[in-house]
């Protein structure tokens, strides 16, 4: 009996050793090069098609190897190893979903993010408050709309203007984040058009009442429940509202006055903490190379891109296919001019109270932007 007991224990030890070996092999297979010394970094983004290049880079994986770096999946939609094209492990990137650009910049301020995708206006507001981060490159232009209830006949700036001027009470316009590009763009244009804008529900003299809906998930419900008369928001939410037959796109950002000024206008960007650009420049270069490549690929493969982003964020792919967004990581002169307009609007509406309170774009450029990495990307390609 004693011999049988020893035999059973021996078999159990052999089985345990086999399990441990399998676990080690599985771990090795899922991380080809990462070690304890490999940086563990955090990257924030929002469930919007404005951030599609990140989703494309994650899903295409090694197919983007020639960009200079690529993502190897560790945990789907959550954790990826950033690997250089010569096989070196650069970092483990943990993806963090934010509700808004405002939340993204708050996470930067709390030193909980190393990279982030958000509106440039959100970055401007955060940097103005002293958060140590910089904008690295653009992500796209356009992709912002004003949405009215299904059945509305409003189409274009003249109809919106008539609605505001003929209304006996303030027109209620919802938005999802205080520092979002859709809010700042539309509010800035309405402000420049001479309308009185308020967030005080008791201000009967206001032409427009802005309503903070807190999240993009509340945009469609607020319209259906008549909490707002319309809302401004980022893609894909406007086309999704039409696809679900609950909303109507009455005005796109490129139609705002003055005519022509808002075409190909900036919105979201990629930024990074000053800490990570100083301590891990090779990682920052790899991420920048990858995102620039993903932007170009997304423009050239619109149908597959729509499938990737629609399935990733859980919205109808057919709606996403209608997107007019143009992805680009190139900070062109036209893009910078748009950034200057954003800065001026934030200042004129007294939303900046710190280092950017009165600076023009030329003076603000060293504070706002770090284009070293994207310039290297563009020069090498």
């Amino acid at each position: 009996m004693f011999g049988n007991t020893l035999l059973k224990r021996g078999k159990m030890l052999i089985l345990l050793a086999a399990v441990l070996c399998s676990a080690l092999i599985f771990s090795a297979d899922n991380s080809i090069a990462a070690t304890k010394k490999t940086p563990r970094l955090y990257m924030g983004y929002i469930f919007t098609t404005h951030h599609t290049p990140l989703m494309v880079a994650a899903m295409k994986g090694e197919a983007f190897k020639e960009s200079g770096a690529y993502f190897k999946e560790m945990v789907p939609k959550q954790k990826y190893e950033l690997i250089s094209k010569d096989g070196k492990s650069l970092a483990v990137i943990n993806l963090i979903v934010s509700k808004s650009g405002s939340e993204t910049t708050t996470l930067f301020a709390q030193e909980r993010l190393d990279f982030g995708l958000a509106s440039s206006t959100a970055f401007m507001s955060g940097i103005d408050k002293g958060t140590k981060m910089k904008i690295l490159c653009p992500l796209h232009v356009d992709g912002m709309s004003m949405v009215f209830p299904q059945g509305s006949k409003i189409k274009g700036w003249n109809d919106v203007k008539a609605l505001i001027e003929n209304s006996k009470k303030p027109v209620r316009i919802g938005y999802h984040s205080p520092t979002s590009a859709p809010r700042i763009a539309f509010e800035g244009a309405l402000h420049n058009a001479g309308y009185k804008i308020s967030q005080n529900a008791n201000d009967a003299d206001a032409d427009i009442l802005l309503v903070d809906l807190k999240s993009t998930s509340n945009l469609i419900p607020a319209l259906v429940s008549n909490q707002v008369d319309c809302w401004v928001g980022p893609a894909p939410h406007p086309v999704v509202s039409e696809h679900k037959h609950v909303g109507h796109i009455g005005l796109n950002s490129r139609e705002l006055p003055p005519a022509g000024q808002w075409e190909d206008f900036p919105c979201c960007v990629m930024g990074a903490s000053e800490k990570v650009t100083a301590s891990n420049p090779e990682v920052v270069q790899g991420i920048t190379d990858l995102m620039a490549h993903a932007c170009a690929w997304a423009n050239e493969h619109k149908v597959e891109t729509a499938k990737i982003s629609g399935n990733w964020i859980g919205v109808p792919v057919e709606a996403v296919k209608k997107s007019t967004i143009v992805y680009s990581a190139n900070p062109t002169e036209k893009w910078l001019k748009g950034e200057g307009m954003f800065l001026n609007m934030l200042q004129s509406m007294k939303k900046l109270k710190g280092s950017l309170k009165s600076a023009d774009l030329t003076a603000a450029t060293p504070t706002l932007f770090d284009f070293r990495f994207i310039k290297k990307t563009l020069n090498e390609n």
Side-chain angles (χ1 to χ4, degrees):
M1 182 178 289
F2 181 74
N4 289 339
T5 301
L6 286 176
L7 183 60
K8 288 180 181 179
R9 288 180 179 177
K11 288 181 178 180
M12 290 179 65
L13 287 172
I14 292 170
L15 179 61
L16 180 60
V19 170
L20 288 172
C21 287
S22 297
L24 288 171
I25 293 170
F26 178 83
S27 177
D29 286 343
N30 279 270
S31 180
I32 64 170
T35 68
K36 289 182 178 180
K37 293 182 180 180
T38 303
R40 266 62 178 172
L41 303 174
Y42 295 84
M43 186 170 191
Y45 76 105
I46 304 165
F47 266 26
T48 166
T49 48
H50 289 197
H51 299 175
T52 289
L54 175 62
M55 304 168 202
V56 165
M59 293 301 295
K60 297 302 292 184
E62 194 171 356
F64 283 3
K65 182 177 182 178
E66 292 309 309
S67 72
Y70 66 94
F71 280 143
K72 178 178 174 61
E73 183 181 285
M74 298 176 75
V75 180
K77 296 186 180 182
Q78 295 181 37
K79 184 181 290 189
Y80 295 83
E81 188 173 7
L82 180 69
I83 302 173
S84 69
K85 64 180 179 181
D86 59 3
K88 178 182 178 182
S89 178
L90 300 177
V92 172
I93 306 294
N94 297 277
L95 301 185
I96 306 296
V97 179
S98 298
K99 291 187 297 184
S100 66
S102 179
E103 182 174 276
T104 298
T105 57
T106 297
L107 292 172
F108 268 113
Q110 296 171 344
E111 298 187 356
R112 293 168 61 189
L113 285 184
D114 302 286
F115 299 93
L117 311 184
S119 67
S120 56
T121 49
F123 273 95
M124 287 178 181
S125 297
I127 291 169
D128 178 68
K129 294 174 183 175
T131 302
K132 300 297 182 182
M133 58 187 180
K134 294 282 178 68
I135 293 171
L136 298 180
C137 65
L139 283 179
H140 71 97
V141 294
D142 290 344
M144 302 178 282
S145 304
M146 179 178 280
V147 178
F148 294 83
Q150 175 71 11
S152 169
K153 302 299 182 182
I154 290 175
K155 198 66 179 175
W157 170 249
N158 288 334
D159 285 356
V160 172
K161 182 180 177 181
L163 170 69
I164 296 170
E165 294 178 357
N166 295 331
S167 179
K168 295 181 180 179
K169 57 183 181 180
V171 175
R172 300 165 299 166
I173 301 178
Y175 62 90
H176 75 282
S177 169
T179 58
S180 69
R183 177 196 165 162
I184 300 303
F186 281 88
E187 182 184 357
L190 292 167
H191 172 79
N192 291 340
Y195 296 115
K196 182 181 178 182
I197 302 170
S198 176
Q199 288 191 269
N200 181 358
N202 297 317
D203 188 352
D205 294 328
D207 298 306
I208 296 162
L209 174 66
L210 292 178
V211 182
D212 188 353
L213 300 176
K214 307 296 184 183
S215 170
T216 53
S217 63
N218 295 325
L219 293 175
I220 290 177
L223 201 64
V224 174
S225 65
N226 197 36
Q227 183 182 349
V228 295
D229 298 305
C230 61
W231 47 257
V232 295
H237 304 285
V239 291
V240 169
S241 71
E242 288 195 331
H243 184 80
K244 293 183 175 181
H245 304 293
V246 295
H248 161 73
I249 298 174
L251 184 69
N252 288 309
S253 57
R254 59 174 47 234
E255 301 173 283
L256 288 168
Q261 185 170 282
W262 296 86
E263 293 179 5
D264 296 333
F265 204 74
C267 184
C268 286
V269 298
M270 180 172 72
S273 69
E274 293 184 7
K275 181 179 179 181
V276 79
T277 57
S279 62
N280 291 284
E282 189 177 10
V283 176
V284 179
Q285 189 64 60
I287 288 282
T288 304
D289 291 343
L290 179 56
M291 294 303 289
H293 184 81
C295 284
W297 188 92
N299 286 334
E300 295 168 3
H301 301 82
K302 293 184 180 295
V303 174
E304 188 175 351
T305 295
K307 291 178 181 178
I308 288 172
S309 57
N311 292 331
W312 185 294
I313 62 181
V315 297
V317 172
E318 290 305 312
V320 180
K321 286 180 181 178
K322 298 177 181 178
S323 173
T324 59
I325 293 174
V326 177
Y327 298 103
S328 174
N330 188 0
T332 63
E333 287 187 18
K334 186 172 185 179
W335 181 84
L336 280 168
K337 183 178 179 181
E339 291 295 287
M341 284 179 60
F342 266 146
L343 181 63
N344 291 339
M345 283 189 290
L346 288 167
Q347 291 168 339
S348 67
M349 293 184 288
K350 302 188 184 304
K351 295 183 183 295
L352 300 177
K353 305 181 187 301
S355 61
L356 301 176
K357 181 179 179 180
S358 57
D360 62 17
L361 186 65
T362 301
T365 290
T367 304
L368 286 173
F369 306 114
D370 185 348
F371 291 147
R372 290 175 294 159
F373 304 97
I374 190 60
K375 284 181 178 179
K376 184 176 180 182
T377 300
L378 296 174
N379 287 338
E380 292 182 353
N381 294 327

